[in-house]
Amino acid sequence: MTPAEIVTVMLLVAGCFFFLAGTLGLLRFPDLFCRLHALTKADNLGLGLIALGMAVHIASPWAALKILFIWLFTLMASSTSCYLIAKFQRGRAPKPSEASAE
Amino acid sequence: MSVWIDSLLAVLAVFLAVRCLLAPTLPQCVFLFFAFGLALALAWARLGAVDVAIAEAAIAAGFLGVLLIDALRDFAAPRTHGETAQKPHFLTQVLLGAGLVVFLYVALEAVWNVPDGGGLTALAADNLPRSGVDHPVTAVLLNYRSYDTWLEVGVVLMALLALFATGGKELFRRPVVGAVDPLLRQVILFFTPVLFLVGAFLLYLGKTEPGGAFQAAVLWGAAGILLHLGGWPVFAAMPRWTRQVLLTAGFGFFLLLGFIFMSGGSALFEYPVAYAGVLILIVETLAALSIAAALTAIFAYFNGMKAASVENEIPDPS
Amino acid sequence: METYQIYSLASAVLFVVGLAGIFAARHFFKKIIATKIMGGGVFLCFVSFAERDALAFADPVPHAMVITGIVVAVSAAAFALALSRRIQQLTGQESFPVDE
C-alpha cells in the first residue's frame, strides 16, 4: 500500500467511527435535544473525515474542491435543520433543562 | 468482498421496505421510506447507473418525501372516528399468503432465468457519434428515445392539472411571511443561487457525464420549494401568463421541434446531425425549467391544501 | 454470483413485498408507499439487466427508461396523495370502506 492509501483508509475508518458514535447517540439518547446534538456534531465530523479521505484518494485539486463544497453545504443544511427542529420542539414541549431533569 | 457489499445492500433495501410497510405510525413509515429510497440509490450507484441514482435520491426520495411529510399534516392527527375495519377472514389471509409465496417463486425464477437478449448497448454505442452528445444515457433520453422524454414532460404537466382538479378554490395560497424564521430565510437566500448554479452545472454536464435535464430540474425545483417555504412564493407571485409559459415551454418546444422536423421530411425527433448538440441543449434547458416549475407548483398546491379546505368543508353526515 | 444477479433477485423480493403491502395495508398512505416499493423493484430489475448487458458501458436504454419511469411514478404518487388527502379532508376517511 502506498502512503496515500494508508492515509485514506485511516481517515475513512475514523469517519466511520464518528458516524457509528452519532448513530449510537441517536438510538440511545433520552430526548430530542441530546439526539440532535449527537447527530449533528458526530456526523458532521465523520462526514468531514470521509470527505478528506476521498479527497486524498482522488488526488485531483478540482475534484477535491467539489468534495469540500459538498461537505460545507451539508454542514450548513444539517445545522440549519437541527436548529429548526430544536426550535419547533422547544415551542411545544417543556424547556430542555426541565425535560432532561426528569 | 464486493459480493458481500452488494448482498448487504440488497438485504438492507428489502429489510427497509418491509419495516416501512410494517411501521406502526405514519411518520415512521415516511422516514423508513426515505431510507429505502437512499438504499436503492446506493444500489444504483453500485450497478453503475449514476444518472438513475441521482434521479432516485433527488426525485423519488427527496421530492416525494417532501410531499409525504406535507401530507402528514392531514394524516398524522390522532384518529377520531375509531378503527372500524375488521381483520380479514382467516382463510383469506392463508390464501393470500400462499398466493404471494407462489408469486415470489415465479418472480425469482423469472429474473434468474431471463433469456440473454444481448441488450441495445452496441447499437447505442455505434450511433453515439451522430447523437450530438457524448454520454450514452443522455443520448437515449434526448435523441434515440426523445419521444419518451417528451411525453414524460407532458405527464408531469398532467399530474399538476390533475392536482388542481382535486379541489380547493385558491390555487396558490401565500404563506404567512412573519411566521418564517429569520435564520431560515437567510440560509434560503444563500442557497438559492447555489442551487441554481449547481443545477445549471448538472444540466451542462449531462452532455458528457451523468447529469442532465431531470437532475437539474429537481435542483431548480428545490430552490423554488425552499423559496416558497421561506415566505417568497416565487411561482405563485408570477403573472399568470409567465406561469403558463414556464409550465408549457418544455412540452411546447419539443412539439414545435418535432413538427419542424416532420415538415422537413424526416421522422419525428430525428435531429439533423450537425445541429443535434445545440438543439438537445436547448430542449434540455426548457424541459428542466418546465419540470422545475411544475414541481414547485405541485408543492405549492400541496402546502396550501389544508388551508384551502377549511372554508368549503362538508359537514360530517353522521 | 454476479453483482447483477444479487440485485435482480432482490428486485423480485421487493416487488412481492410491495404487492403484499398493497393487499395488506389499510391506510391510503401505506398503499401509495407500497406501490412505490413495487415500482422500485421493477426499476431495480431493469437496471440490473442493464449491468448484465454492459460492454464498454452499461446498457443506456434501461437507464433512460428508469429515469423516465421514476419521474412518472412520482407524478402519479403525488396525484394519488393529493386525492387521498382530499378524501380525508372531506369525509374523514383514511382507508377504503370494508364490505361486511
Coordinates of all heavy atoms in Angstrom, one line a residue, chain B residues 94-132:
Chain B
V94 N -54.7 -16.9 4.7 CA -53.9 -18.0 4.3 C -53.8 -18.1 2.7 O -52.7 -18.3 2.2 CB -54.5 -19.3 4.8 CG1 -53.8 -20.5 4.2 CG2 -54.5 -19.4 6.3
L95 N -54.9 -17.9 2.1 CA -54.9 -17.9 0.6 C -54.0 -16.8 0.0 O -53.2 -17.1 -0.9 CB -56.3 -17.8 0.0 CG -57.2 -19.0 0.0 CD1 -58.6 -18.7 -0.5 CD2 -56.5 -20.1 -0.8
L96 N -54.1 -15.6 0.6 CA -53.3 -14.5 0.1 C -51.8 -14.8 0.3 O -51.0 -14.6 -0.6 CB -53.7 -13.2 0.9 CG -52.9 -12.0 0.5 CD1 -53.2 -11.6 -0.9 CD2 -53.3 -10.8 1.4
G97 N -51.5 -15.3 1.5 CA -50.1 -15.7 1.8 C -49.6 -16.7 0.9 O -48.5 -16.6 0.3
A98 N -50.4 -17.8 0.6 CA -49.9 -18.8 -0.3 C -49.7 -18.3 -1.7 O -48.7 -18.6 -2.4 CB -51.0 -20.0 -0.3
G99 N -50.7 -17.4 -2.1 CA -50.6 -16.9 -3.4 C -49.3 -16.0 -3.6 O -48.6 -16.1 -4.6
L100 N -49.0 -15.3 -2.6 CA -47.8 -14.4 -2.6 C -46.5 -15.3 -2.7 O -45.6 -14.9 -3.4 CB -47.8 -13.5 -1.4 CG -48.7 -12.3 -1.5 CD1 -48.8 -11.5 -0.2 CD2 -48.4 -11.4 -2.7
V101 N -46.5 -16.4 -1.9 CA -45.3 -17.2 -1.9 C -45.1 -17.8 -3.3 O -44.0 -17.8 -3.8 CB -45.5 -18.3 -0.8 CG1 -44.4 -19.4 -1.0 CG2 -45.4 -17.7 0.6
V102 N -46.2 -18.3 -3.9 CA -46.1 -18.9 -5.3 C -45.6 -17.8 -6.2 O -44.7 -18.0 -7.1 CB -47.5 -19.4 -5.7 CG1 -47.4 -19.8 -7.2 CG2 -47.9 -20.6 -4.9
F103 N -46.2 -16.6 -6.1 CA -45.8 -15.5 -6.9 C -44.3 -15.1 -6.8 O -43.6 -14.8 -7.7 CB -46.7 -14.3 -6.7 CG -46.5 -13.2 -7.7 CD1 -47.2 -13.3 -8.9 CD2 -45.7 -12.1 -7.5 CE1 -47.0 -12.3 -9.9 CE2 -45.5 -11.1 -8.4 CZ -46.2 -11.3 -9.6
L104 N -43.9 -15.1 -5.5 CA -42.5 -14.8 -5.2 C -41.6 -15.9 -5.9 O -40.6 -15.5 -6.6 CB -42.2 -14.9 -3.7 CG -40.7 -14.7 -3.3 CD1 -40.3 -13.3 -3.7 CD2 -40.6 -14.8 -1.8
Y105 N -42.0 -17.1 -5.9 CA -41.2 -18.2 -6.5 C -41.1 -17.9 -8.0 O -40.0 -18.0 -8.7 CB -41.8 -19.6 -6.2 CG -41.1 -20.7 -7.0 CD1 -39.8 -21.1 -6.6 CD2 -41.7 -21.2 -8.1 CE1 -39.2 -22.1 -7.3 CE2 -41.0 -22.2 -8.9 CZ -39.8 -22.6 -8.5 OH -39.1 -23.6 -9.2
V106 N -42.3 -17.6 -8.6 CA -42.3 -17.3 -10.1 C -41.4 -16.2 -10.4 O -40.7 -16.2 -11.4 CB -43.8 -17.1 -10.5 CG1 -43.8 -16.7 -12.0 CG2 -44.6 -18.4 -10.3
A107 N -41.5 -15.1 -9.6 CA -40.8 -13.9 -9.9 C -39.3 -14.2 -9.8 O -38.5 -13.7 -10.7 CB -41.2 -12.8 -8.9
L108 N -38.9 -14.9 -8.7 CA -37.4 -15.2 -8.6 C -37.0 -16.1 -9.8 O -35.9 -15.8 -10.3 CB -37.2 -16.0 -7.3 CG -37.3 -15.1 -6.0 CD1 -37.1 -16.0 -4.8 CD2 -36.2 -14.1 -6.0
E109 N -37.8 -17.1 -10.1 CA -37.4 -17.9 -11.3 C -37.3 -17.1 -12.6 O -36.4 -17.3 -13.4 CB -38.6 -18.9 -11.4 CG -38.4 -20.0 -12.5 CD -37.3 -21.0 -12.2 OE1 -37.0 -21.1 -11.0 OE2 -36.9 -21.7 -13.1
A110 N -38.2 -16.1 -12.7 CA -38.2 -15.3 -13.9 C -37.0 -14.4 -14.0 O -36.3 -14.4 -15.1 CB -39.5 -14.4 -13.9
V111 N -36.6 -13.8 -12.9 CA -35.4 -12.9 -13.0 C -34.1 -13.8 -13.1 O -33.1 -13.3 -13.6 CB -35.3 -11.9 -11.9 CG1 -36.4 -10.9 -12.0 CG2 -35.2 -12.6 -10.6
W112 N -34.2 -15.0 -12.5 CA -32.9 -15.8 -12.5 C -32.7 -16.4 -13.9 O -31.5 -16.4 -14.4 CB -33.1 -16.9 -11.5 CG -31.8 -17.7 -11.3 CD1 -31.6 -19.0 -11.8 CD2 -30.7 -17.3 -10.6 NE1 -30.3 -19.4 -11.4 CE2 -29.7 -18.4 -10.7 CE3 -30.3 -16.2 -9.9 CZ2 -28.5 -18.3 -10.1 CZ3 -29.1 -16.1 -9.4 CH2 -28.2 -17.2 -9.5
N113 N -33.7 -16.8 -14.6 CA -33.6 -17.5 -15.9 C -34.0 -16.6 -17.1 O -34.4 -17.0 -18.1 CB -34.5 -18.7 -16.0 CG -33.9 -19.8 -15.1 OD1 -32.7 -19.9 -14.9 ND2 -34.8 -20.6 -14.5
V114 N -33.8 -15.3 -16.9 CA -34.2 -14.4 -18.0 C -33.3 -14.6 -19.2 O -32.1 -14.8 -19.1 CB -34.3 -12.9 -17.6 CG1 -32.9 -12.3 -17.5 CG2 -35.1 -12.1 -18.5
P115 N -33.9 -14.8 -20.4 CA -33.1 -15.1 -21.6 C -32.1 -14.0 -21.9 O -32.5 -12.8 -21.7 CB -34.1 -15.4 -22.7 CG -35.3 -14.7 -22.3 CD -35.3 -14.8 -20.8
D116 N -31.0 -14.3 -22.5 CA -30.0 -13.3 -22.8 C -30.3 -12.7 -24.1 O -30.1 -13.3 -25.2 CB -28.6 -13.9 -22.8 CG -27.5 -12.9 -22.8 OD1 -27.8 -11.7 -22.9 OD2 -26.3 -13.3 -22.8
G117 N -30.8 -11.4 -24.1 CA -31.2 -10.8 -25.3 C -30.1 -10.0 -26.0 O -30.2 -9.5 -27.1
G118 N -29.0 -9.8 -25.2 CA -27.9 -9.0 -25.7 C -28.0 -7.5 -25.5 O -27.0 -6.8 -25.5
G119 N -29.2 -7.1 -25.3 CA -29.3 -5.6 -25.0 C -29.1 -4.8 -26.2 O -28.8 -5.2 -27.3
L120 N -29.1 -3.5 -25.9 CA -29.0 -2.5 -27.0 C -27.7 -1.7 -26.9 O -27.6 -0.6 -27.5 CB -30.2 -1.5 -27.0 CG -31.5 -2.2 -27.3 CD1 -32.7 -1.3 -26.9 CD2 -31.6 -2.5 -28.8
T121 N -26.8 -2.2 -26.0 CA -25.6 -1.4 -25.8 C -24.8 -1.1 -27.0 O -24.3 0.0 -27.2 CB -24.7 -2.2 -24.8 OG1 -25.5 -2.8 -23.8 CG2 -23.7 -1.3 -24.1
A122 N -24.6 -2.2 -27.9 CA -23.8 -2.0 -29.0 C -24.4 -1.0 -30.0 O -23.7 -0.1 -30.5 CB -23.6 -3.3 -29.7
L123 N -25.7 -1.1 -30.2 CA -26.4 -0.2 -31.1 C -26.3 1.3 -30.6 O -26.0 2.2 -31.3 CB -27.9 -0.6 -31.1 CG -28.7 -0.1 -32.3 CD1 -28.1 -0.7 -33.6 CD2 -30.1 -0.6 -32.2
A124 N -26.4 1.4 -29.2 CA -26.3 2.8 -28.6 C -24.9 3.3 -28.8 O -24.7 4.5 -29.1 CB -26.7 2.7 -27.2
A125 N -23.9 2.4 -28.7 CA -22.5 2.9 -28.8 C -22.2 3.3 -30.2 O -21.5 4.3 -30.5 CB -21.6 1.8 -28.3
D126 N -22.7 2.5 -31.2 CA -22.4 2.8 -32.6 C -23.0 4.1 -33.0 O -22.3 4.8 -33.9 CB -23.0 1.7 -33.5 CG -22.3 0.4 -33.4 OD1 -21.2 0.4 -32.8 OD2 -22.8 -0.7 -33.8
N127 N -24.1 4.5 -32.5 CA -24.8 5.7 -33.0 C -24.4 7.0 -32.2 O -24.8 8.1 -32.5 CB -26.3 5.6 -33.0 CG -26.7 4.7 -34.1 OD1 -26.5 5.0 -35.3 ND2 -27.3 3.6 -33.8
L128 N -23.6 6.7 -31.1 CA -23.2 7.8 -30.2 C -22.6 9.0 -31.0 O -23.0 10.2 -30.7 CB -22.3 7.3 -29.1 CG -22.3 8.2 -27.9 CD1 -23.7 8.4 -27.3 CD2 -21.4 7.5 -26.8
P129 N -21.7 8.8 -31.9 CA -21.1 10.0 -32.6 C -22.1 10.8 -33.4 O -21.9 12.0 -33.5 CB -20.1 9.4 -33.6 CG -19.8 8.0 -33.1 CD -21.0 7.6 -32.3
R130 N -23.2 10.3 -33.8 CA -24.2 11.0 -34.5 C -25.3 11.6 -33.7 O -26.2 12.3 -34.2 CB -24.9 10.1 -35.6 CG -23.9 9.4 -36.5 CD -24.5 9.0 -37.8 NE -25.7 8.1 -37.5 CZ -26.9 8.3 -38.1 NH1 -27.1 9.4 -38.8 NH2 -27.9 7.5 -37.8
S131 N -25.2 11.4 -32.3 CA -26.3 11.8 -31.5 C -26.2 13.3 -31.0 O -27.1 13.8 -30.5 CB -26.4 10.9 -30.3 OG -25.3 11.1 -29.4
G132 N -25.0 13.8 -31.1 CA -24.8 15.2 -30.6 C -24.3 15.3 -29.2 O -24.0 16.4 -28.7

